[in-house]
Amino acid sequence: MKRRVVGLLAALILASGLQMSAGAEDLTNDYILGNSSLNLLNGGVFSEEDLNIEDYTGGASYSSINVFTDHIYYVADDTKIVQVDRSSGESRVLYQVEAVISRMFVVNDKKAYFIQNGNAYCYDFEAEELMALQETGDVQSVIPTPYGEIYERGEAFHWDVYAGENQVLHDIYQCYTEDGNLIVTMDHKEYQVSLERLFAEDFSSADLSEYVYETTPESEISLHSEEDGICEECEKNAKNFTEADYEASLAAEPGEEATASDEVSAYAMSDLSKEQQNIVNRAEEQAKVTWTPLKNVSGWDGDYTFRAGKTYTGIPYGQPVYAKYVPYDASIAEFQNAVKDGNSKFYTDRSTFNASAPYYSSDCSGFVSWAWGLSSRHYTGSIASAGKRISGTDSEILYKLQVGDMLLKAGSHVVLVEDVVYKSGQLKSLTIIEQTPPIIKRTVYGQGGTKTLQQFLNYYHPASSYLAYRSNKVTDDNKNSSDAGNGPVVDTTPHVVYSTHVQTYGWQAESKDGETSGTIGESKRLEAIKISLKNYGNVSVTYRTHAQTYGWLNWVKDGSLSGTVNESKRLEAIEIKLEGTDASKYDIYYRAYAQTYGWLGWAKNGESAGTKGLSKRLEAIQIKVVPKGSAAPGSTDNRFVEQADGAPSVEYQTHVQTYGWQNVVKDGATAGTSGESKRLEGIKINVANNSKVSVKYRTHVQTYGWMDWVTAGHLSGTSGESKRLEAIQIELTGTDKDKYDIYYRVHAQTYGWLGWAKNGESAGTEGAYKRLEAIQIKIVEKGKAAPGSTSNHFVKLTSADLPQLELQFQTHVQTYGWTGLTTGTSGTSGTSGQSKRLEAIKIRLLKGDSSSGIEYRTHVQTYGWQSWAKNGALSGTSGESKRLEAIQIKLTGTAAQKYDIYYRVHSQTYGWLGWAKNGESAGTEGKSKRLEAIQIKLVNKGGVAPTSTTSSFVK
């Protein structure tokens, strides 16, 4: 796919004075690359156009294909830039050297950008002139853009990215340009930024945003009642399969072209994960089984004959729904024994589902199901549920494929990725293994194979036809290898392994043995860490971190999390030590990269590393374990920087109704709102600038009352429960607490600002049901004057201080209509002994405050339970002659905190039932019994029920 940037954009670049790429005067019109940068950076052995490049190369080895309307360009034999005229087929060498040319981009059919001996160059075809762009010796690729060149430098899959001369990103797994953006992969996530922004002087990694690939809706998966239908691809393979195909399949071993010096992994590691090894081993278990039939046996649908006396490798193809699936219904040993027995069902019976096939056999989905370690055999219509979709364009998915992935055409066919080979960071080959008629076969695409990577894409189209999936048992941390079939590799080398949670990026891949975990030069805070030991005998690792707001956290050990996640809190320091009977044999060293200071000195065996009291984030860490008494990895000077104690400063943050957590304020500033009637729901308080002074506090919360004391930085109150704070108590702690007083005052509903409380006194209200709306806190030297008046800092009310609630209600009675109003703390409405049904009710409260209310709903003949009514509204019916059968009543607001509401009903047949309260059901349901009367009574909260509460509801 060709990338275009219109001429107006380039003109704007010139006008703005931005540095443009070499020969930029030629790029002010349409800017066209001869291939996608993703393809070219990975070797450029195919283009997005559906063409057979071999028709133009004359049999020479090729890479860096660039396709234009009139010409095709490629690098031949690694040393020559060749131009081919597409109309005549004539070719000519434009540039030739002895050194290897790689990752060549052709721009506008005029210039080639490429790498040679670790340096970046631009060759002008018309001027026949070579221009050096970067000659640092470590350049791995150059991507030309209208804004300038992007360079990848450093180690494969851990690139440093430069925009022109400026390093802009670090430790990038992959990057490429697409539609005016740079797409980067790091920490197994994809991000994007516009090229214009990338080349801006103030660019930082914070400008990256998550890259989301927009997929078209997947076609509906067709499931079958018993089994897949006939596999279309398998049918085609069966019709076209020859003996030569079988021999070629046996010869196609994966990864043959890789040498010991090759980089064979997409993550620059040569070993596979255990689960990937298991997948390949289970596939090989099916593919390498050998058997020699005693008699001729017909293959799938009679299209191939397994001949007596000839040895075959791999399970034969079939869909033995009513026979034996190997290895699910019959083990491989059972299959081999059946082959050796001339009277077995392998010779006397057949599978007849969809087509005639060997009695012992397997199909494509059975093969992959077993390889993936699924407990039961899946079908091509259901196996997708065992994996996660790999998204992207065709070429993007190709470069994401790992050993053990599958390619699935739902309802048709599925194949397994057996091997993926990289060399010097470029994709070289990919091996597919599949169960297909008449027997398992393997195909290698790319170097050393029978087909090209272009042919792989043209056939599978993994973005739209054969969709790519990764087993749910495999993570993106797993690797690719050219020798996956050799079984698990057991690493017995001792390692200290650690992973950090980094601002924006989340958990990073594991680092070990002194490697850097975190970031350098990106101003990203570490937020958490996990550390563990491998192969160190009876030794464990224990560690704790100093976190923003919280200070030193509790000690954890052996892979547990220390720090915070999803709280945006920086780590500021760390202490690590070894424990266990063998701990005396080792020292553990560690150093931190701290904001402003950079790398500090090496600490060891529980010493502090980082900073304290300076509000400086840790950005990276290195950890090493060495034999006891060995020299430190580097200087141990200045390993920990701590600010001298000064006057304590109090910082606080409130959670406000509607708004959530507000910004942190300090030293008497207002946290919360005023004049908006918004309740405070939670608070966090911390003391800064003095390590010998801290704080504890507790709040009085709606419904819950006084909460437990919490320490600095922790939440007191609630979040997400819509509960108001009503009062607060705050005290100083620490060795210097007696040198200071802490004052605080609150803005309370109705009362406004109350007086200043101090040192654990209550501030706010209790028993008045009033919300706190704002708070101010200050620390002053002991004995100094309060910030203001200290009178009336706390209001506490008892029941006697509150107005007495009253009820007012009436009922609609058959024949009589609405009764008179019943008013008071209790009363009765309706009839008794007249067999008259209640048809509706209205209830309200009198004398309560503005927050007090009452809600009720009734169960009505025919209609069942109605919606809740409140504060005098009608519940039931009028003019429909429908009986009430049951009722629920509850108080809300202040009334619910001060009172219980009891009620009982007189029900047809049953008479007076027991008392219900606070929303419980009273009456009957499913009995067709009318209510005839009701009694309601207010009781002080927690008081005794009027009489029996048994049998209040019959259902």
Side-chain angles (χ1 to χ4, degrees), residues 427-501:
L427 178 64
K428 290 300 181 182
S429 70
L430 182 145
T431 303
I432 295 295
I433 188 168
E434 59 188 311
Q435 177 69 275
T436 190
I439 201 166
I440 292 171
K441 75 171 184 177
R442 178 185 287 112
T443 306
V444 178
Y445 294 86
Q447 185 173 316
T450 57
K451 297 183 178 181
T452 66
L453 290 169
Q454 180 72 61
Q455 288 173 308
F456 170 84
L457 283 190
N458 292 347
Y459 182 78
Y460 284 105
H461 289 294
S464 58
S465 181
Y466 278 81
L467 306 182
Y469 291 86
R470 183 158 299 140
S471 167
N472 289 329
K473 299 178 181 180
V474 175
T475 71
D476 290 334
D477 293 330
N478 295 307
K479 318 299 181 197
N480 294 319
S481 170
S482 65
D483 56 358
N486 293 337
V489 178
V490 179
D491 182 6
T492 59
T493 304
H495 298 293
V496 58
V497 179
Y498 40 100
S499 176
T500 53
H501 191 279

Side-chain angles (χ1 to χ4, degrees), residues 706-943:
W706 284 108
M707 308 285 280
D708 292 335
W709 290 91
V710 299
T711 56
H714 289 86
L715 167 69
S716 183
T718 64
S719 177
E721 296 188 43
S722 302
K723 300 289 187 184
R724 65 179 172 266
L725 299 189
E726 297 177 346
I728 189 168
Q729 298 171 344
I730 310 174
E731 292 183 8
L732 294 176
T733 62
T735 57
D736 283 358
K737 67 176 182 178
D738 295 332
K739 297 180 181 180
Y740 303 94
D741 293 317
I742 187 165
Y743 280 92
Y744 43 98
R745 68 169 183 165
V746 296
H747 190 281
Q749 177 187 353
T750 306
Y751 296 98
W753 284 107
L754 298 173
W756 289 87
K758 73 171 181 177
N759 301 341
E761 295 174 346
S762 298
T765 70
E766 184 179 344
Y769 312 106
K770 301 298 183 183
R771 63 181 172 266
L772 298 191
E773 298 177 354
I775 188 170
Q776 296 172 344
I777 312 175
K778 291 193 74 171
I779 295 177
V780 302
E781 289 184 25
K782 195 70 174 179
K784 288 289 183 71
S789 171
T790 59
S791 62
N792 198 35
H793 58 76
F794 182 60
V795 178
K796 184 173 182 179
L797 301 180
T798 65
S799 297
D801 299 314
L802 296 173
Q804 181 67 43
L805 282 185
E806 288 188 354
L807 293 164
Q808 187 176 79
F809 61 100
Q810 64 181 153
T811 54
H812 191 280
V813 179
Q814 175 187 354
T815 307
Y816 303 135
W818 287 105
T819 64
L821 293 171
T822 299
T823 302
T825 58
S826 64
T828 303
S829 183
T831 64
S832 178
Q834 300 184 39
S835 301
K836 299 294 185 184
R837 63 180 172 265
L838 297 188
E839 297 177 348
I841 190 169
K842 299 177 182 177
I843 315 173
R844 62 168 49 88
L845 292 180
L846 302 177
K847 298 184 179 180
D849 65 10
S850 59
S851 74
S852 296
I854 189 166
E855 297 181 0
Y856 43 97
R857 66 172 183 162
T858 53
H859 190 281
V860 179
Q861 175 186 351
T862 306
Y863 302 138
W865 285 107
Q866 294 192 306
S867 299
W868 289 93
K870 60 183 179 180
N871 302 331
L874 181 147
S875 181
T877 63
S878 179
E880 297 187 42
S881 301
K882 301 289 187 184
R883 65 180 171 266
L884 300 188
E885 298 177 348
I887 191 169
Q888 297 170 344
I889 310 173
K890 61 184 179 181
L891 299 173
T892 62
T894 303
Q897 297 174 358
K898 183 180 178 183
Y899 296 97
D900 294 319
I901 187 164
Y902 281 89
Y903 43 98
R904 67 171 182 168
V905 296
H906 191 280
S907 179
Q908 177 186 353
T909 305
Y910 295 101
W912 286 107
L913 296 173
W915 289 88
K917 73 171 182 177
N918 300 341
E920 297 172 349
S921 298
T924 67
E925 185 176 342
K927 302 290 186 180
S928 301
K929 301 297 183 183
R930 64 182 172 267
L931 298 190
E932 297 177 352
I934 185 170
Q935 289 180 342
I936 310 176
K937 185 171 185 177
L938 289 173
V939 176
N940 287 336
K941 197 70 177 179

Side-chain angles (χ1 to χ4, degrees), residues 113-407:
Y113 293 75
F114 57 88
I115 301 301
Q116 183 180 311
N117 288 330
N119 303 313
Y121 298 96
C122 173
Y123 183 74
D124 189 311
F125 301 152
E126 295 179 355
E128 297 185 355
E129 187 174 271
L130 184 69
M131 179 185 302
L133 302 177
Q134 285 245 351
E135 292 187 304
T136 58
D138 65 344
V139 183
Q140 299 295 329
S141 64
V142 54
I143 309 174
T145 80
Y147 298 89
E149 290 80 34
I150 298 171
Y151 302 97
E152 289 179 317
R153 293 169 56 179
E155 180 185 354
F157 307 114
H158 298 278
W159 311 114
D160 291 328
V161 177
Y162 288 75
E165 299 296 325
N166 300 318
Q167 181 179 344
V168 291
L169 295 169
H170 172 68
D171 200 16
I172 300 302
Y173 166 65
Q174 173 180 265
C175 74
Y176 59 95
T177 56
E178 179 181 84
D179 298 329
N181 295 303
L182 180 72
I183 313 300
V184 300
T185 303
M186 52 188 177
D187 300 323
H188 315 301
K189 294 181 180 179
E190 290 182 296
Y191 302 89
Q192 66 179 355
V193 64
S194 71
L195 294 175
E196 180 181 11
R197 184 68 194 137
L198 182 74
F199 280 86
E201 291 184 2
D202 60 345
F203 169 80
S204 74
S205 59
D207 294 319
L208 295 173
S209 60
E210 185 176 356
Y211 174 67
V212 179
Y213 175 77
E214 296 183 0
T215 59
T216 55
E218 296 184 32
S219 58
E220 182 178 351
I221 293 178
S222 173
L223 296 176
H224 303 273
S225 58
E226 283 189 308
E227 173 63 54
D228 284 332
I230 295 177
C231 169
E232 298 172 1
E233 299 301 319
C234 297
E235 279 291 285
K236 183 169 64 177
N237 291 339
K239 300 298 182 186
N240 298 329
F241 194 85
T242 67
E243 199 74 20
D245 293 328
Y246 173 68
E247 300 299 335
S249 176
L250 289 179
E253 287 297 327
E256 293 175 329
E257 65 280 10
T259 68
S261 62
D262 287 339
E263 294 177 31
V264 295
S265 164
Y267 289 87
M269 295 180 67
S270 61
D271 58 316
L272 295 173
S273 73
K274 181 177 180 180
E275 182 54 35
Q276 284 178 298
Q277 293 172 26
N278 288 338
I279 290 174
V280 174
N281 287 337
R282 287 187 292 255
E284 294 286 321
E285 178 185 14
Q286 302 171 81
K288 289 189 173 182
V289 58
T290 59
W291 53 283
T292 306
L294 304 177
K295 308 173 185 178
N296 287 352
V297 177
S298 294
W300 172 260
D301 206 19
D303 291 320
Y304 180 85
T305 300
F306 297 104
R307 302 196 178 278
K310 180 177 176 62
T311 298
Y312 294 91
T313 302
I315 298 169
Y317 182 87
Q319 291 185 332
V321 173
Y322 305 120
K324 290 288 185 78
Y325 264 95
V326 183
Y328 276 103
D329 301 326
S331 67
I332 288 176
E334 180 182 339
F335 161 66
Q336 290 177 311
N337 289 333
V339 171
K340 297 174 183 177
D341 181 359
N343 296 318
S344 72
K345 288 189 175 183
F346 187 68
Y347 301 103
T348 63
D349 206 346
R350 300 280 290 173
S351 166
T352 57
F353 189 85
N354 282 330
S356 176
Y359 186 84
Y360 292 89
S361 53
S362 184
D363 59 12
C364 57
S365 53
F367 174 78
V368 175
S369 294
W370 186 264
W372 272 22
L374 304 182
S375 59
S376 61
R377 179 177 52 83
H378 282 244
Y379 318 130
T380 56
S382 65
I383 196 170
S385 64
K388 45 186 176 289
R389 174 84 180 275
I390 304 170
S391 63
T393 63
D394 281 347
S395 51
E396 286 173 337
I397 293 172
L398 174 60
Y399 302 127
K400 293 179 182 179
L401 287 177
Q402 296 180 3
V403 171
D405 293 344
M406 74 172 177
L407 297 167

Side-chain angles (χ1 to χ4, degrees), residues 71-91:
H71 300 108
I72 292 176
Y73 299 86
Y74 63 93
V75 174
D77 301 323
D78 292 332
T79 59
K80 294 177 284 189
I81 299 176
V82 177
Q83 179 194 69
V84 180
D85 187 295
R86 296 188 70 172
S87 60
S88 67
E90 295 181 358
S91 63

